[in-house]
Amino acid sequence: MQAGRKVQCCIVGGGPAGMMLGYLLGRAGIETLVLEKHADFFRDFRGDTVHPSTLQVMDELGLIDDFLKLPHDKLQRLEGYFGGTALRIADIGRSGAKHPFIAFMPQWDFLNFLRDKGQRYPQLKVLMSTEATDLLWSDGAVVGVKAQDTEGAIEIKADLVVACDGRHSVVRPSAKLDVEEIGAPMDVLWFRVGKGVETESVFARIEAGKMMVTLDRGSYWQCAYVIAKGQYDAVKARGIEAFRADVMDLAPILKSGIGDVKGWEDVKLLTVAINRLKRWTRPGLLCIGDAAHAMSPVGGVGVNLAVQDAVATANLLADKLMKGRPSEDDLDAVRQRREFPTRVTQAMQVIVQNNIISLALKPGTQPIKPPMFARIINAIPWLQGLTARFLAVGIRPEHVQSPTSTPG
Ligand SMILES: Cc1cc2nc3c(=O)[nH]c(=O)nc-3n(C[C@H](O)[C@H](O)[C@H](O)COP(=O)(O)OP(=O)(O)OC[C@H]3O[C@@H](n4cnc5c(N)ncnc54)[C@H](O)[C@@H]3O)c2cc1C
């Protein structure tokens, strides 16, 4: 066992929630450790969608100019093919957002950016290759974290532990926090296909029994092929040739690059979950981001809700942490603020799942008809601004109000 450490806040997990919260608390002058189990942030096909709500936060932090210098693709209009009919369902240009586009950027660029910018705050330390293994308890309260780094076991004491360790959180079962499963009818297969000069704004493609989303990433297509829940083994059993044929059938534009999908190792399964914690806290412990509520990929909101949780946490708790150990009521104020946007967003995802995705995945040969609400939105441009606002800015957007210390 290595010598222990003591900090004001220990954050478990260096994803969007953990890195943003670390940045904000370091900026406020709070001694903060972020533990990330991987040696780097490089993981393919994690959430790459930086929405206007997150761009607004970067703006409020004075980081937006440098951030937008990182390579990214912009998406402003969300369109889809419903059984051959093209419809526009959201126009972010009409959303009223200051930065009215979704920036597609590899998540590792986003996280590396936050880590690099955070280095100006001496109170913030990010420990890579450091995995939290359990919580430290005293008199029924969480007082720190047990972790493992490259040199062995380590104990970190903290006034507050924040679990940002994602949908497979080890912290929440350690804290015996119950998860309410909402369920999802689908899983998603992610893959990349090489792209020539062709370009297409179409985003979702829905035909009888099939659904796919294609994202134009400049030099390649990022593709999300939607399958019925638990059917991955059945899809695999039909063989990679049959899978490639299904993909080309749905999106002929991918024909020239489909050879990039050589085998199943080029296809990544996302097991879709929608769930949320009933209680986000124990004394000394708070869960946020996917650790508190896993989101469906519908709308690409997971990263952005995680960032919003982090901003709310810093706004509500930075001053309390300056003074010592926040009470559980202080911590629960974060749930009270963020549970409503989480529930409303998950409810909308369930509506899309039940009314579009389940329908699309039903085996059948009848051509898919666009749902009435999609036709109405397509016909009325200001409604496209409304759907875009919900998606891009979200319910109850957070603004940075946490204090700032002088950079070292
Ligand atoms: C394949 C895939 C595609 C997705 N696509 C999108 C998308 O297009 N748009 C979107 O918005 N969302 C998408 N999501 C969801 C999105 O990535 C998450 O909602 C978002 O990243 C949540 O952020 P988070 O910080 O709460 O958790 P995570 O991003 O899951 O981060 C958790 C971090 O904690 C670390 N960690 C875990 N356990 C420990 C431990 N014990 N000790 C230390 N560190 C630990 C992990 O390594 C990870 O870095 C996708 C997810 C997947 C898996």
Side-chain angles (χ1 to χ4, degrees), residues 25-30 121-123 322 403-408:
L25 294 183
R27 175 178 172 270
I30 290 163
Y121 302 119
Q123 291 83 358
M322 299 274 200
T404 180
S405 62
T406 313

Side-chain angles (χ1 to χ4, degrees), residues 82-368:
F82 294 81
T85 310
L87 299 178
R88 179 170 298 164
I89 39 188
D91 182 351
I92 299 172
R94 294 173 176 272
S95 67
K98 181 167 178 191
H99 302 280
F101 54 89
I102 293 176
F104 279 99
M105 179 185 290
Q107 199 182 101
W108 59 86
D109 280 351
F110 175 44
L111 299 177
N112 276 323
F113 179 86
L114 283 175
R115 182 173 56 173
D116 291 349
K117 291 291 181 188
Q119 280 175 2
R120 78 179 89 169
Y121 302 119
Q123 291 83 358
L124 170 64
K125 297 273 177 301
V126 179
L127 302 184
M128 305 302 287
S129 305
T130 307
E131 179 167 8
T133 51
D134 208 346
L135 293 168
L136 288 170
W137 294 85
S138 175
D139 293 333
V142 174
V143 293
V145 165
K146 290 184 188 173
Q148 190 77 29
D149 66 13
T150 48
E151 320 228 303
I154 179 168
E155 285 193 355
I156 298 153
K157 296 248 171 71
D159 290 333
L160 172 64
V161 173
V162 185
C164 299
D165 52 345
R167 63 185 59 200
H168 305 296
S169 170
V170 295
V171 173
R172 64 190 196 185
S174 296
K176 297 196 169 43
L177 291 169
D178 290 337
V179 181
E180 182 185 350
E181 290 293 342
I182 289 124
M186 79 285 196
D187 291 326
V188 178
L189 304 180
W190 288 94
F191 55 94
R192 285 171 185 226
V193 168
K195 185 170 163 287
V197 288
E198 74 280 8
T199 179
E200 202 178 52
S201 64
V202 173
F203 182 78
R205 299 154 193 276
I206 303 175
E207 297 287 348
K210 291 182 198 158
M211 175 169 181
M212 183 164 72
V213 174
T214 49
L215 307 170
D216 185 343
R217 300 297 299 269
S219 58
Y220 64 93
W221 296 101
Q222 184 176 335
C223 307
Y225 191 89
V226 183
I227 59 172
K229 181 132 234 74
Q231 288 305 300
Y232 184 46
D233 286 341
V235 172
K236 264 172 109 172
R238 290 181 58 233
I240 197 77
E241 269 307 329
F243 177 66
R244 284 199 290 248
D246 282 350
V247 168
M248 282 187 289
D249 199 29
L250 205 50
I253 201 165
L254 301 182
K255 206 167 179 178
S256 63
I258 193 73
D260 288 355
V261 184
K262 296 186 177 65
W264 294 109
E265 64 283 0
D266 296 321
V267 178
K268 160 112 182 151
L269 169 71
L270 167 64
T271 306
V272 177
I274 303 188
N275 63 40
R276 55 185 174 242
L277 289 181
K278 293 178 181 161
R279 175 178 170 177
W280 295 23
T281 58
R282 292 279 177 211
L285 172 72
L286 168 69
C287 301
I288 63 169
D290 270 20
H293 47 72
M295 310 300 291
S296 156
V298 170
V301 293
V303 167
N304 304 282
L305 275 196
V307 167
Q308 295 281 298
D309 282 4
V311 174
T313 302
N315 287 348
L316 290 161
L317 297 181
D319 281 339
K320 311 261 179 198
L321 268 166
M322 299 274 200
K323 293 177 196 137
R325 197 177 159 77
S327 70
E328 196 181 2
D329 283 349
D330 293 334
L331 305 183
D332 192 50
V334 176
R335 178 196 58 78
Q336 287 175 32
R337 169 116 195 129
R338 297 302 307 155
E339 194 173 35
F340 176 67
T342 303
R343 279 177 176 268
V344 174
T345 310
Q346 289 182 330
M348 288 305 288
Q349 292 184 321
V350 169
I351 289 173
V352 172
Q353 284 181 179
N354 293 346
N355 290 282
I356 299 184
I357 298 175
S358 297
L359 221 66
L361 292 177
K362 242 189 217 157
T365 48
Q366 290 296 314
I368 287 275

